[in-house]
Amino acid sequence: MANHISDKSRRFSLLALDELSKIQKQYLSAPEVKSLNEEKISWLNERMRSFHESVVKTNYKKFSFLQESKTVRNTIAHSTGELSQEELEATWKKFFAFSDKARLELQNNITKSYSENKEIRQFEKFGSQKIGNQLERMALTQSLADAMESSISNSEKIPFSNSQSGIEAAKFLQTENQNQESLLDYAKKNPKLNEQIQSEILENLSAAYDETEITSPENPFYNENLFVNKVSKLRDEDLLKNLSVYSEKLFATTTGKDNSANFVFYKKEYEALQQKLKPVKKTEKEKTEKNKSVISQKEYLSELAIIARNLKIDLQKSLTERYTAWQLEEIDKKRRKYLEELYKKLEQFKKLEELLSPFIKSFGRLWDLSAGCFNDYGFEILKDFADLLENDKALKELADLIGRQENEKERYEIELRDKVEIKTEYHPKNAYRGQISGLRLSGEITSALPSELALFQNSATKVYFSQKFAEKKLLSYAYINQEKKYREELKKEEFKKAVKDTNQKGPVIICVDTSGSMSGIPERIAKTITFALAKKCLEEDRGCYLLAFSTDYKERNLTEFNYENGISELVSFLRMSFNGGTDASPALKHSIELLNNNEWKKADVLVISDMIMGDFSVEMKNEIKIQQEKETKFYSLVVGASGNKKVIECFDENWTYDTNARDAMHHLVRQIHKLGDTNAGEEE
């Protein structure tokens, strides 16, 4: 949380405020003990105790009521016996005396801290009033954050309020099956994803309330609401006199015909009231006959106001009930639609993370792009290659072998270090009877206290003394006869020391032949090995640069994998159709230029091609040789069996994948294993 207080302080301020609200909702002032049963007394005491403990956990020391709250809590919790009615009532009165002040100070403390997330902060400050005031919105965001946080105990979580918005927000986290529950748990464990889902829920909830706002002309209850508001401002006489007209206007609105206000009933009531109105001029006989049914003008206006008020209440009540039911139904539709999309998105995002986690470090930022990634960037083609890599053990081993080198590899050496141990020893020390260290129980007459020996002198206690003596329970003096000393002892201990081995190779530059002669099986092999190797390099935080060449080349720095652009680039390579002639020289020339830069100077170069191409120029061969003298390794993976031998001879190591052989991949793995064994022998 931002601003002045921590999220913990805000949470416990809200918890304290929640406990206070429960108490004040139940009791306006301190109740009488005799009016409550034991259960209610226990409930009230527990709320007060919990209130104070939440206040303490805010770690805010400047609450003016803190000491008073502590006194109340200690009186309730630390009483050695049952409190009398007078003591309990006095304690409750103390609590209620500062409760209003506590509410204001807690509210002030809460509003010192808004969410660090921009969208959530905007909701807290400027969200829809339909959801609640600022404090209620902050409580809602905290409830949502706590519900999405598994590390907080349930007792410390802010529960969703019983308001309509609180109930509706809680429904967003209700799962319908095990799969949804598993996906929601997955989202909770990803901090960035967790925060973004909270933001989306609040955004959807706000949008649902805004879109169902009755003051919107698109709302089906809009015209009826205008009518009811207009009627509520009419004079009582005008309303009741023209009931037929207003009922027709109400029924003319879209939803007015469903209003349950009984116009027929109120019309009869109004007509009956008019009959009771005291006549202006009547004979004494008429007055006497109708005395019981005649009312004064004042009484008439009073009853008229009651009839009109009840009609207005019925109109508004019926509108509110039907509008609220419709609104909740609409919110539920929008929520179900969002949750359906959310869990689908979570499921696909999880697959995408498993597939592309080596390429993208901060996966939370990919959430907003995930729908586009699946639809536009070829999720299926990435999945195909990932499945191929996963199912072909030989291919996976190949990727491990080629991508085994790391920028820096830690190894451990055993060293001996001196370790000083402090040992405690006890040494005898001359002692005498006057050097008393305390008291003890014993059966020694010489050490017994005089008060114990006096028992023996009295005939009434002599037997008691004998019993204590036999049981060695005489209260006796204790004497010091040892002293504690400390001795340092030097020992040797083994420990592992991490040593950085910087002789390992670093990044990889992959040059892939995309000429027409590579189409078919060689193309699939080239793409799969490239995908596997790029994935492996990025898993190990090694640079990976891709050059796709035919007569020219296209470059892609997979180390700079920028979210949607990176996915797009990788997919565009995997979708590429191989055609055109073959000339590896431009791609190799660019590779050598990269090797002269600090970022790529320790890179190895791998060329994947059928090697059906013309010989390299003398200049190109010389440039390759210069880089080899700088300990740069040039590897070739020949797909096929008819490559140009003069070109192949330029590389340090050459691997072959014979497309006609049944165990071509296993044979390739054995070749690279052999290379690894040779290198290991040279190092030894």
Side-chain angles (χ1 to χ4, degrees), residues 481-495:
N481 56 14
Q482 284 192 11
E483 68 176 342
K484 187 187 292 185
K485 289 186 177 181
Y486 299 98
R487 175 172 60 85
E488 290 186 358
E489 188 173 292
L490 195 64
K491 285 189 172 184
K492 298 285 186 182
E493 69 169 353
E494 291 185 353
F495 77 102

Side-chain angles (χ1 to χ4, degrees), residues 342-372:
L342 173 67
Y343 287 115
K344 182 179 178 182
K345 196 172 176 183
L346 274 173
E347 194 164 8
Q348 292 180 324
F349 182 84
K350 189 176 180 181
K351 292 176 183 177
L352 186 66
E353 183 182 30
E354 292 169 355
L355 182 63
L356 295 178
S357 57
F359 299 99
I360 300 173
K361 301 297 180 186
S362 179
F363 242 74
R365 288 184 60 189
L366 190 63
W367 178 249
D368 293 333
L369 304 169
S370 58

